Amino acid sequence: MSANTSEIPVIQSIEWLDDHVRIIDQTCLPDREVHLDLFEVGKIWEAIRTLRVRGAPAIGIITAYGVYLGLKEAPETSFDEFDESREQICNYLALSRPTAVNLQWALDRATRCIHEMKNQPVPEIKTALLELAKTIHREDKAICAAIGKNGQELVPDYARILTHCNTGSLATGQYGTALSIIYHAHLQEKNVHVWVDETRPLLQGSRLTSWELQKSGIDHHIITDSMAGWIMQRQGLDLVVVGTDRVAANGDTANKIGTYSLAVLAKHHKIPFYVAAPLSSIDRSLSSGADIPIEERSAEELRKIGQYPTAPADAPVYNPAFDITPHALITAFITEKGIIRPDFTENIALMMDGEAAG
Ligand code: MRU
């Protein structure tokens, strides 16, 4: 049976409307579905920083729209002046969040587009930047659908799956990465059951992934992150599938804090551990995970849940938002172009060079 993506409920976390971006404010979910209209690059920066828009591919998409909005009113008298504005806007957006490489990838694509049009009138370059953002957005939907279709082949009937954080439509142009695989397995009537890690401290699993799975009628239970080992030991699992914010050339993978612990547990229990990754999340400029910048977030995220204190007001806190899973703990990467198995250094290069040549 072939998968029918039209049966996956459409959740548009980012939309372009004539002259601005509309987002679902993910900080309000699941309580309220709030849409925010963003007209300026400063609002885009704030939305990325505060996780109103989050998930590596979604960050890439909104960054591309952010470059256009930031340069829309830039002076049009000379290319050099326009390029200086480009540099300022790109440096500014680059500081919003450091770990997801998709952000820098989108900035690099916008910069290339501008430089390739060096000899064209600036108004035409601006139009091209908006078109580029729409293209990145459209491409991401197709990439996520392909990841889902490629990945569902690894999912057995009645699979018991564990996932972490939110990697669904909210985190991408549509469908998601790891969650797209689950959606596509569901469409193939594989009767999957999903254990959803709550994902401390900001609860992307329980707030967002459960919200998405409920909309699709996919059988699941939320667990706290610390229950994963017990589930593996007592309930049995067929696979773990997660997303990523950045993969180094050797396959070391940055993802939401807690992913590394899951990978260690999966290895101990001999459970396949898959990473769903668009090729735009692979950063071959870094030879290993040691070079991936890890975002450290505010202490308040651990001292409170919402408005409720869960720690003394001035308790010392360490709050890294991501961790690095060494490549040796990863069974395979699931990309839009196919599955990558070890040796990752060799096979990532082969896949990406094929992509560059294609
Ligand atoms: O801090 P977040 O919520 O942006 O972290 C998101 C993740 O870690 C996701 O797993 C990753 O970006 C992949 S989303 C398809």
Side-chain angles (χ1 to χ4, degrees), residues 26 48 51 53-59 97 99-100 102 140 144 163-172 176-179 199 202 204 207-208 242-246 254-257 259 276-278 281 295 297 321-322:
Q26 297 188 39
I48 298 172
L51 276 58
V53 173
R54 46 144 300 284
I59 291 173
R97 289 192 82 188
T99 302
N102 307 60
D140 192 61
C144 288
T163 192
H164 192 62
C165 197
N166 172 266
T167 61
S169 290
L170 288 168
T172 60
T177 59
L179 218 57
T199 316
L202 296 179
Q204 288 92 331
R207 290 190 304 106
L208 308 177
V242 297
T244 178
D245 282 78
R246 194 183 303 222
N255 192 46
K256 179 53 56 194
I257 191 78
T259 303
S281 294
E295 176 183 9
R297 294 187 61 86
F322 299 95

mmCIF file of all heavy atoms in Angstrom, residues 26 48 51 53-59 97 99-100 102 140 144 163-172 176-179 199 202 204 207-208 242-246 254-257 259 276-278 281 295 297 321-322, ligand 1:
data_model
loop_
_atom_site.group_PDB
_atom_site.id
_atom_site.type_symbol
_atom_site.label_atom_id
_atom_site.label_comp_id
_atom_site.label_asym_id
_atom_site.label_seq_id
_atom_site.Cartn_x
_atom_site.Cartn_y
_atom_site.Cartn_z
ATOM 1 N N GLN A 26 4.504 28.287 19.678
ATOM 2 C CA GLN A 26 4.610 26.959 20.307
ATOM 3 C C GLN A 26 4.731 27.034 21.825
ATOM 4 O O GLN A 26 4.562 26.019 22.495
ATOM 5 C CB GLN A 26 5.784 26.191 19.695
ATOM 6 C CG GLN A 26 5.567 25.949 18.211
ATOM 7 C CD GLN A 26 6.610 25.039 17.601
ATOM 8 O OE1 GLN A 26 7.038 24.058 18.212
ATOM 9 N NE2 GLN A 26 7.015 25.338 16.393
ATOM 10 N N ILE A 48 12.525 33.016 17.550
ATOM 11 C CA ILE A 48 13.482 31.887 17.544
ATOM 12 C C ILE A 48 14.075 31.722 18.948
ATOM 13 O O ILE A 48 14.113 30.630 19.510
ATOM 14 C CB ILE A 48 14.616 32.116 16.509
ATOM 15 C CG1 ILE A 48 14.053 32.195 15.092
ATOM 16 C CG2 ILE A 48 15.664 31.010 16.605
ATOM 17 C CD1 ILE A 48 15.084 32.611 14.026
ATOM 18 N N LEU A 51 11.737 30.225 21.515
ATOM 19 C CA LEU A 51 11.149 28.938 21.139
ATOM 20 C C LEU A 51 9.668 29.017 20.754
ATOM 21 O O LEU A 51 8.941 28.041 20.846
ATOM 22 C CB LEU A 51 11.357 27.882 22.244
ATOM 23 C CG LEU A 51 12.676 27.133 22.255
ATOM 24 C CD1 LEU A 51 13.888 28.039 22.359
ATOM 25 C CD2 LEU A 51 12.720 26.108 23.369
ATOM 26 N N VAL A 53 9.024 29.631 17.731
ATOM 27 C CA VAL A 53 9.310 28.759 16.592
ATOM 28 C C VAL A 53 10.536 27.963 16.989
ATOM 29 O O VAL A 53 11.524 28.547 17.426
ATOM 30 C CB VAL A 53 9.654 29.576 15.334
ATOM 31 C CG1 VAL A 53 10.108 28.658 14.212
ATOM 32 C CG2 VAL A 53 8.466 30.395 14.901
ATOM 33 N N ARG A 54 10.482 26.655 16.821
ATOM 34 C CA ARG A 54 11.607 25.839 17.273
ATOM 35 C C ARG A 54 11.658 24.563 16.430
ATOM 36 O O ARG A 54 10.727 24.284 15.680
ATOM 37 C CB ARG A 54 11.485 25.518 18.764
ATOM 38 C CG ARG A 54 10.072 25.059 19.143
ATOM 39 C CD ARG A 54 10.019 24.022 20.183
ATOM 40 N NE ARG A 54 10.716 22.831 19.801
ATOM 41 C CZ ARG A 54 10.242 21.930 18.936
ATOM 42 N NH1 ARG A 54 9.085 22.074 18.319
ATOM 43 N NH2 ARG A 54 10.951 20.841 18.655
ATOM 44 N N GLY A 55 12.763 23.799 16.629
ATOM 45 C CA GLY A 55 12.999 22.638 15.781
ATOM 46 C C GLY A 55 13.894 23.106 14.635
ATOM 47 O O GLY A 55 13.618 24.146 14.006
ATOM 48 N N ALA A 56 14.964 22.352 14.387
ATOM 49 C CA ALA A 56 15.999 22.838 13.464
ATOM 50 C C ALA A 56 15.472 23.246 12.080
ATOM 51 O O ALA A 56 15.770 24.354 11.613
ATOM 52 C CB ALA A 56 17.099 21.780 13.353
ATOM 53 N N PRO A 57 14.675 22.394 11.395
ATOM 54 C CA PRO A 57 14.235 22.813 10.058
ATOM 55 C C PRO A 57 13.351 24.068 10.095
ATOM 56 O O PRO A 57 13.485 24.949 9.236
ATOM 57 C CB PRO A 57 13.461 21.599 9.546
ATOM 58 C CG PRO A 57 14.055 20.443 10.307
ATOM 59 C CD PRO A 57 14.316 20.995 11.676
ATOM 60 N N ALA A 58 12.469 24.169 11.095
ATOM 61 C CA ALA A 58 11.597 25.356 11.194
ATOM 62 C C ALA A 58 12.430 26.610 11.449
ATOM 63 O O ALA A 58 12.131 27.695 10.917
ATOM 64 C CB ALA A 58 10.564 25.160 12.311
ATOM 65 N N ILE A 59 13.499 26.457 12.214
ATOM 66 C CA ILE A 59 14.389 27.603 12.467
ATOM 67 C C ILE A 59 15.031 28.044 11.144
ATOM 68 O O ILE A 59 15.147 29.235 10.850
ATOM 69 C CB ILE A 59 15.459 27.232 13.528
ATOM 70 C CG1 ILE A 59 14.798 27.054 14.897
ATOM 71 C CG2 ILE A 59 16.550 28.311 13.604
ATOM 72 C CD1 ILE A 59 15.740 26.520 15.985
ATOM 73 N N ARG A 97 20.067 31.523 18.050
ATOM 74 C CA ARG A 97 20.294 30.208 18.671
ATOM 75 C C ARG A 97 21.509 29.563 17.999
ATOM 76 O O ARG A 97 21.587 29.558 16.773
ATOM 77 C CB ARG A 97 19.071 29.277 18.530
ATOM 78 C CG ARG A 97 17.888 29.705 19.388
ATOM 79 C CD ARG A 97 16.831 28.630 19.462
ATOM 80 N NE ARG A 97 17.139 27.606 20.446
ATOM 81 C CZ ARG A 97 16.436 26.476 20.578
ATOM 82 N NH1 ARG A 97 15.422 26.219 19.774
ATOM 83 N NH2 ARG A 97 16.758 25.598 21.508
ATOM 84 N N THR A 99 22.881 26.172 18.115
ATOM 85 C CA THR A 99 23.166 24.753 17.865
ATOM 86 C C THR A 99 22.649 24.264 16.506
ATOM 87 O O THR A 99 23.367 23.575 15.779
ATOM 88 C CB THR A 99 22.634 23.881 19.022
ATOM 89 O OG1 THR A 99 23.246 24.337 20.232
ATOM 90 C CG2 THR A 99 22.996 22.409 18.830
ATOM 91 N N ALA A 100 21.414 24.619 16.164
ATOM 92 C CA ALA A 100 20.838 24.111 14.904
ATOM 93 C C ALA A 100 21.586 24.700 13.710
ATOM 94 O O ALA A 100 21.548 25.902 13.477
ATOM 95 C CB ALA A 100 19.354 24.456 14.817
ATOM 96 N N ASN A 102 20.865 24.448 10.709
ATOM 97 C CA ASN A 102 19.929 24.896 9.674
ATOM 98 C C ASN A 102 19.824 26.413 9.634
ATOM 99 O O ASN A 102 19.539 26.997 8.602
ATOM 100 C CB ASN A 102 18.537 24.298 9.922
ATOM 101 C CG ASN A 102 18.595 22.801 10.079
ATOM 102 O OD1 ASN A 102 19.267 22.310 10.985
ATOM 103 N ND2 ASN A 102 17.946 22.060 9.210
ATOM 104 N N ASP A 140 11.355 21.971 2.242
ATOM 105 C CA ASP A 140 11.369 21.253 3.522
ATOM 106 C C ASP A 140 10.195 20.285 3.634
ATOM 107 O O ASP A 140 10.340 19.187 4.167
ATOM 108 C CB ASP A 140 11.393 22.236 4.702
ATOM 109 C CG ASP A 140 11.696 21.496 5.993
ATOM 110 O OD1 ASP A 140 12.782 20.887 6.081
ATOM 111 O OD2 ASP A 140 10.824 21.464 6.890
ATOM 112 N N CYS A 144 10.775 16.357 4.229
ATOM 113 C CA CYS A 144 10.198 15.652 5.387
ATOM 114 C C CYS A 144 9.340 14.476 4.940
ATOM 115 O O CYS A 144 9.355 13.411 5.570
ATOM 116 C CB CYS A 144 9.392 16.625 6.243
ATOM 117 S SG CYS A 144 10.441 17.776 7.135
ATOM 118 N N THR A 163 10.294 8.146 21.194
ATOM 119 C CA THR A 163 10.854 9.351 20.603
ATOM 120 C C THR A 163 11.023 10.437 21.660
ATOM 121 O O THR A 163 10.445 10.350 22.749
ATOM 122 C CB THR A 163 10.027 9.834 19.393
ATOM 123 O OG1 THR A 163 10.767 10.833 18.684
ATOM 124 C CG2 THR A 163 8.687 10.423 19.814
ATOM 125 N N HIS A 164 11.823 11.433 21.316
ATOM 126 C CA HIS A 164 12.224 12.472 22.277
ATOM 127 C C HIS A 164 11.970 13.832 21.651
ATOM 128 O O HIS A 164 12.117 13.999 20.440
ATOM 129 C CB HIS A 164 13.719 12.285 22.570
ATOM 130 C CG HIS A 164 14.242 13.068 23.728
ATOM 131 N ND1 HIS A 164 13.796 12.888 25.028
ATOM 132 C CD2 HIS A 164 15.174 14.047 23.797
ATOM 133 C CE1 HIS A 164 14.451 13.707 25.837
ATOM 134 N NE2 HIS A 164 15.291 14.429 25.116
ATOM 135 N N CYS A 165 11.610 14.799 22.464
ATOM 136 C CA CYS A 165 11.400 16.178 22.013
ATOM 137 C C CYS A 165 10.246 16.230 21.008
ATOM 138 O O CYS A 165 9.387 15.338 20.983
ATOM 139 C CB CYS A 165 12.690 16.745 21.419
ATOM 140 S SG CYS A 165 12.680 18.556 21.294
ATOM 141 N N ASN A 166 10.194 17.267 20.184
ATOM 142 C CA ASN A 166 9.187 17.337 19.126
ATOM 143 C C ASN A 166 9.885 17.497 17.792
ATOM 144 O O ASN A 166 10.659 18.436 17.589
ATOM 145 C CB ASN A 166 8.209 18.495 19.318
ATOM 146 C CG ASN A 166 7.314 18.649 18.094
ATOM 147 O OD1 ASN A 166 7.614 19.433 17.188
ATOM 148 N ND2 ASN A 166 6.245 17.882 18.017
ATOM 149 N N THR A 167 9.592 16.564 16.889
ATOM 150 C CA THR A 167 10.232 16.553 15.567
ATOM 151 C C THR A 167 9.163 16.491 14.489
ATOM 152 O O THR A 167 9.383 15.934 13.425
ATOM 153 C CB THR A 167 11.145 15.321 15.443
ATOM 154 O OG1 THR A 167 10.296 14.156 15.596
ATOM 155 C CG2 THR A 167 12.227 15.279 16.500
ATOM 156 N N GLY A 168 7.986 17.046 14.769
ATOM 157 C CA GLY A 168 6.861 16.888 13.855
ATOM 158 C C GLY A 168 6.621 18.102 12.972
ATOM 159 O O GLY A 168 7.536 18.888 12.690
ATOM 160 N N SER A 169 5.361 18.268 12.548
ATOM 161 C CA SER A 169 4.994 19.397 11.676
ATOM 162 C C SER A 169 5.328 20.720 12.331
ATOM 163 O O SER A 169 5.680 21.685 11.657
ATOM 164 C CB SER A 169 3.509 19.345 11.359
ATOM 165 O OG SER A 169 3.245 18.250 10.514
ATOM 166 N N LEU A 170 5.211 20.773 13.654
ATOM 167 C CA LEU A 170 5.514 22.031 14.347
ATOM 168 C C LEU A 170 6.978 22.429 14.162
ATOM 169 O O LEU A 170 7.308 23.606 14.131
ATOM 170 C CB LEU A 170 5.209 21.897 15.846
ATOM 171 C CG LEU A 170 3.729 21.857 16.215
ATOM 172 C CD1 LEU A 170 3.561 21.428 17.672
ATOM 173 C CD2 LEU A 170 3.056 23.212 15.981
ATOM 174 N N ALA A 171 7.832 21.442 14.051
ATOM 175 C CA ALA A 171 9.286 21.691 14.028
ATOM 176 C C ALA A 171 9.845 21.826 12.611
ATOM 177 O O ALA A 171 11.053 22.011 12.444
ATOM 178 C CB ALA A 171 10.005 20.542 14.743
ATOM 179 N N THR A 172 8.960 21.729 11.612
ATOM 180 C CA THR A 172 9.421 21.683 10.213
ATOM 181 C C THR A 172 8.395 22.397 9.316
ATOM 182 O O THR A 172 7.415 22.953 9.811
ATOM 183 C CB THR A 172 9.520 20.215 9.746
ATOM 184 O OG1 THR A 172 8.215 19.630 9.850
ATOM 185 C CG2 THR A 172 10.503 19.407 10.574
ATOM 186 N N GLY A 176 7.434 16.684 9.589
ATOM 187 C CA GLY A 176 8.511 16.476 10.558
ATOM 188 C C GLY A 176 9.601 15.566 10.026
ATOM 189 O O GLY A 176 9.649 15.235 8.843
ATOM 190 N N THR A 177 10.484 15.152 10.945
ATOM 191 C CA THR A 177 11.575 14.245 10.565
ATOM 192 C C THR A 177 11.325 12.893 11.250
ATOM 193 O O THR A 177 10.711 12.012 10.660
ATOM 194 C CB THR A 177 12.946 14.847 10.933
ATOM 195 O OG1 THR A 177 13.011 15.093 12.341
ATOM 196 C CG2 THR A 177 13.197 16.131 10.161
ATOM 197 N N ALA A 178 11.723 12.759 12.523
ATOM 198 C CA ALA A 178 11.438 11.494 13.225
ATOM 199 C C ALA A 178 9.925 11.244 13.259
ATOM 200 O O ALA A 178 9.464 10.112 13.051
ATOM 201 C CB ALA A 178 12.012 11.543 14.632
ATOM 202 N N LEU A 179 9.161 12.288 13.487
ATOM 203 C CA LEU A 179 7.706 12.095 13.579
ATOM 204 C C LEU A 179 7.101 11.778 12.213
ATOM 205 O O LEU A 179 6.091 11.070 12.133
ATOM 206 C CB LEU A 179 7.046 13.341 14.187
ATOM 207 C CG LEU A 179 5.893 13.026 15.137
ATOM 208 C CD1 LEU A 179 6.307 12.137 16.276
ATOM 209 C CD2 LEU A 179 5.278 14.305 15.679
ATOM 210 N N THR A 199 10.397 15.255 27.859
ATOM 211 C CA THR A 199 11.446 16.183 27.405
ATOM 212 C C THR A 199 11.593 17.411 28.302
ATOM 213 O O THR A 199 11.162 18.526 27.961
ATOM 214 C CB THR A 199 11.270 16.601 25.911
ATOM 215 O OG1 THR A 199 10.948 15.451 25.125
ATOM 216 C CG2 THR A 199 12.533 17.248 25.391
ATOM 217 N N LEU A 202 11.591 21.915 28.899
ATOM 218 C CA LEU A 202 10.523 22.719 28.286
ATOM 219 C C LEU A 202 9.378 21.881 27.718
ATOM 220 O O LEU A 202 8.474 22.406 27.086
ATOM 221 C CB LEU A 202 11.104 23.670 27.226
ATOM 222 C CG LEU A 202 12.053 24.720 27.831
ATOM 223 C CD1 LEU A 202 12.622 25.634 26.742
ATOM 224 C CD2 LEU A 202 11.356 25.566 28.894
ATOM 225 N N GLN A 204 8.778 19.692 25.321
ATOM 226 C CA GLN A 204 8.370 19.637 23.905
ATOM 227 C C GLN A 204 7.680 18.313 23.584
ATOM 228 O O GLN A 204 6.834 18.246 22.687
ATOM 229 C CB GLN A 204 9.596 19.789 22.985
ATOM 230 C CG GLN A 204 10.196 21.178 22.939
ATOM 231 C CD GLN A 204 11.303 21.365 23.965
ATOM 232 O OE1 GLN A 204 11.290 20.723 25.022
ATOM 233 N NE2 GLN A 204 12.247 22.247 23.690
ATOM 234 N N ARG A 207 4.053 18.493 25.586
ATOM 235 C CA ARG A 207 3.202 19.606 25.129
ATOM 236 C C ARG A 207 2.917 19.513 23.628
ATOM 237 O O ARG A 207 1.803 19.773 23.184
ATOM 238 C CB ARG A 207 3.879 20.962 25.397
ATOM 239 C CG ARG A 207 3.981 21.363 26.841
ATOM 240 C CD ARG A 207 4.438 22.805 27.022
ATOM 241 N NE ARG A 207 5.700 23.090 26.377
ATOM 242 C CZ ARG A 207 5.836 23.810 25.246
ATOM 243 N NH1 ARG A 207 4.788 24.333 24.654
ATOM 244 N NH2 ARG A 207 7.037 24.014 24.714
ATOM 245 N N LEU A 208 3.946 19.157 22.836
ATOM 246 C CA LEU A 208 3.842 19.326 21.385
ATOM 247 C C LEU A 208 3.678 18.004 20.629
ATOM 248 O O LEU A 208 2.815 17.881 19.763
ATOM 249 C CB LEU A 208 5.081 20.076 20.859
ATOM 250 C CG LEU A 208 5.419 21.396 21.584
ATOM 251 C CD1 LEU A 208 6.704 22.001 21.037
ATOM 252 C CD2 LEU A 208 4.268 22.396 21.457
ATOM 253 N N VAL A 242 14.853 9.696 16.774
ATOM 254 C CA VAL A 242 14.931 11.096 17.224
ATOM 255 C C VAL A 242 15.315 11.974 16.040
ATOM 256 O O VAL A 242 15.699 11.470 14.980
ATOM 257 C CB VAL A 242 15.988 11.260 18.352
ATOM 258 C CG1 VAL A 242 15.610 10.465 19.587
ATOM 259 C CG2 VAL A 242 17.385 10.874 17.855
ATOM 260 N N GLY A 243 15.240 13.279 16.254
ATOM 261 C CA GLY A 243 15.689 14.230 15.237
ATOM 262 C C GLY A 243 17.081 14.731 15.577
ATOM 263 O O GLY A 243 17.774 14.157 16.418
ATOM 264 N N THR A 244 17.496 15.790 14.932
ATOM 265 C CA THR A 244 18.809 16.357 15.226
ATOM 266 C C THR A 244 18.868 17.844 14.905
ATOM 267 O O THR A 244 18.139 18.334 14.045
ATOM 268 C CB THR A 244 19.928 15.636 14.438
ATOM 269 O OG1 THR A 244 21.172 16.263 14.739
ATOM 270 C CG2 THR A 244 19.710 15.695 12.934
ATOM 271 N N ASP A 245 19.761 18.527 15.595
ATOM 272 C CA ASP A 245 20.045 19.939 15.307
ATOM 273 C C ASP A 245 21.313 20.110 14.500
ATOM 274 O O ASP A 245 21.491 21.109 13.816
ATOM 275 C CB ASP A 245 20.127 20.739 16.603
ATOM 276 C CG ASP A 245 18.738 21.011 17.120
ATOM 277 O OD1 ASP A 245 18.145 20.085 17.700
ATOM 278 O OD2 ASP A 245 18.219 22.116 16.893
ATOM 279 N N ARG A 246 22.224 19.140 14.621
ATOM 280 C CA ARG A 246 23.451 19.208 13.814
ATOM 281 C C ARG A 246 24.171 17.866 13.907
ATOM 282 O O ARG A 246 24.308 17.301 14.990
ATOM 283 C CB ARG A 246 24.369 20.318 14.337
ATOM 284 C CG ARG A 246 25.462 20.659 13.378
ATOM 285 C CD ARG A 246 26.441 21.699 13.893
ATOM 286 N NE ARG A 246 25.907 22.977 14.299
ATOM 287 C CZ ARG A 246 26.482 24.161 14.023
ATOM 288 N NH1 ARG A 246 27.584 24.196 13.303
ATOM 289 N NH2 ARG A 246 25.960 25.288 14.488
ATOM 290 N N ALA A 254 24.160 16.230 17.561
ATOM 291 C CA ALA A 254 23.570 17.090 18.602
ATOM 292 C C ALA A 254 22.057 17.001 18.505
ATOM 293 O O ALA A 254 21.492 17.101 17.411
ATOM 294 C CB ALA A 254 24.013 18.539 18.398
ATOM 295 N N ASN A 255 21.427 16.791 19.637
ATOM 296 C CA ASN A 255 19.955 16.839 19.686
ATOM 297 C C ASN A 255 19.556 17.227 21.105
ATOM 298 O O ASN A 255 20.405 17.372 22.002
ATOM 299 C CB ASN A 255 19.343 15.495 19.267
ATOM 300 C CG ASN A 255 17.839 15.621 19.029
ATOM 301 O OD1 ASN A 255 17.392 16.554 18.365
ATOM 302 N ND2 ASN A 255 17.052 14.728 19.589
ATOM 303 N N LYS A 256 18.260 17.384 21.299
ATOM 304 C CA LYS A 256 17.721 17.832 22.589
ATOM 305 C C LYS A 256 18.336 17.064 23.746
ATOM 306 O O LYS A 256 18.474 15.837 23.686
ATOM 307 C CB LYS A 256 16.194 17.657 22.551
ATOM 308 C CG LYS A 256 15.434 18.038 23.791
ATOM 309 C CD LYS A 256 15.726 19.420 24.288
ATOM 310 C CE LYS A 256 15.501 20.509 23.260
ATOM 311 N NZ LYS A 256 16.113 21.821 23.644
ATOM 312 N N ILE A 257 18.663 17.793 24.797
ATOM 313 C CA ILE A 257 19.273 17.199 25.982
ATOM 314 C C ILE A 257 18.459 15.969 26.430
ATOM 315 O O ILE A 257 17.226 16.028 26.496
ATOM 316 C CB ILE A 257 19.391 18.250 27.122
ATOM 317 C CG1 ILE A 257 20.256 17.749 28.258
ATOM 318 C CG2 ILE A 257 18.027 18.719 27.627
ATOM 319 C CD1 ILE A 257 21.724 17.821 27.974
ATOM 320 N N THR A 259 18.998 13.036 24.743
ATOM 321 C CA THR A 259 19.133 12.099 23.620
ATOM 322 C C THR A 259 20.296 11.136 23.856
ATOM 323 O O THR A 259 20.192 9.929 23.603
ATOM 324 C CB THR A 259 19.345 12.883 22.305
ATOM 325 O OG1 THR A 259 18.242 13.777 22.124
ATOM 326 C CG2 THR A 259 19.453 11.957 21.117
ATOM 327 N N ALA A 276 16.724 10.800 12.472
ATOM 328 C CA ALA A 276 16.133 11.326 11.233
ATOM 329 C C ALA A 276 16.750 12.696 10.977
ATOM 330 O O ALA A 276 16.664 13.585 11.823
ATOM 331 C CB ALA A 276 14.624 11.436 11.385
ATOM 332 N N ALA A 277 17.371 12.848 9.807
ATOM 333 C CA ALA A 277 18.145 14.072 9.567
ATOM 334 C C ALA A 277 18.042 14.537 8.120
ATOM 335 O O ALA A 277 18.499 13.826 7.219
ATOM 336 C CB ALA A 277 19.619 13.809 9.897
ATOM 337 N N PRO A 278 17.469 15.724 7.894
ATOM 338 C CA PRO A 278 17.597 16.271 6.542
ATOM 339 C C PRO A 278 19.067 16.551 6.265
ATOM 340 O O PRO A 278 19.825 16.843 7.208
ATOM 341 C CB PRO A 278 16.790 17.580 6.609
ATOM 342 C CG PRO A 278 16.645 17.901 8.049
ATOM 343 C CD PRO A 278 16.786 16.618 8.822
ATOM 344 N N SER A 281 20.946 19.364 7.909
ATOM 345 C CA SER A 281 21.379 19.318 9.312
ATOM 346 C C SER A 281 22.781 18.741 9.463
ATOM 347 O O SER A 281 23.303 18.643 10.573
ATOM 348 C CB SER A 281 20.403 18.488 10.164
ATOM 349 O OG SER A 281 19.155 19.116 10.223
ATOM 350 N N GLU A 295 23.999 25.163 23.106
ATOM 351 C CA GLU A 295 23.295 26.295 23.693
ATOM 352 C C GLU A 295 23.038 26.047 25.181
ATOM 353 O O GLU A 295 22.573 24.987 25.558
ATOM 354 C CB GLU A 295 21.947 26.462 22.971
ATOM 355 C CG GLU A 295 21.064 27.551 23.530
ATOM 356 C CD GLU A 295 19.714 27.618 22.801
ATOM 357 O OE1 GLU A 295 19.398 26.719 21.983
ATOM 358 O OE2 GLU A 295 18.979 28.576 23.071
ATOM 359 N N ARG A 297 20.795 27.540 28.228
ATOM 360 C CA ARG A 297 19.636 28.423 28.365
ATOM 361 C C ARG A 297 19.457 28.889 29.803
ATOM 362 O O ARG A 297 20.162 28.468 30.709
ATOM 363 C CB ARG A 297 18.375 27.727 27.823
ATOM 364 C CG ARG A 297 18.487 27.507 26.298
ATOM 365 C CD ARG A 297 17.215 26.990 25.704
ATOM 366 N NE ARG A 297 16.081 27.883 25.860
ATOM 367 C CZ ARG A 297 15.779 28.884 25.034
ATOM 368 N NH1 ARG A 297 16.525 29.132 23.969
ATOM 369 N NH2 ARG A 297 14.709 29.639 25.262
ATOM 370 N N ALA A 321 20.938 22.956 26.537
ATOM 371 C CA ALA A 321 19.700 22.597 25.825
ATOM 372 C C ALA A 321 19.876 21.369 24.936
ATOM 373 O O ALA A 321 18.893 20.778 24.490
ATOM 374 C CB ALA A 321 19.235 23.784 24.990
ATOM 375 N N PHE A 322 21.125 20.996 24.660
ATOM 376 C CA PHE A 322 21.392 19.882 23.747
ATOM 377 C C PHE A 322 22.518 19.016 24.306
ATOM 378 O O PHE A 322 23.263 19.457 25.186
ATOM 379 C CB PHE A 322 21.798 20.410 22.357
ATOM 380 C CG PHE A 322 20.713 21.246 21.728
ATOM 381 C CD1 PHE A 322 20.717 22.635 21.856
ATOM 382 C CD2 PHE A 322 19.670 20.660 21.046
ATOM 383 C CE1 PHE A 322 19.702 23.405 21.323
ATOM 384 C CE2 PHE A 322 18.645 21.424 20.497
ATOM 385 C CZ PHE A 322 18.667 22.802 20.632
HETATM 386 O O1 MRU B 1 15.109 23.358 21.636
HETATM 387 P P1 MRU B 1 14.287 22.797 20.508
HETATM 388 O O2 MRU B 1 12.899 22.493 20.892
HETATM 389 O O3 MRU B 1 14.386 23.669 19.260
HETATM 390 O O4 MRU B 1 15.004 21.428 20.148
HETATM 391 C C1 MRU B 1 14.533 20.704 19.047
HETATM 392 C C2 MRU B 1 15.184 19.390 18.873
HETATM 393 O O5 MRU B 1 16.082 19.023 19.594
HETATM 394 C C3 MRU B 1 14.714 18.545 17.716
HETATM 395 O O6 MRU B 1 14.873 17.198 17.997
HETATM 396 C C4 MRU B 1 15.520 18.886 16.460
HETATM 397 O O7 MRU B 1 15.588 20.260 16.243
HETATM 398 C C5 MRU B 1 14.941 18.247 15.248
HETATM 399 S S1 MRU B 1 13.358 18.900 14.806
HETATM 400 C C6 MRU B 1 12.888 18.091 13.407
#
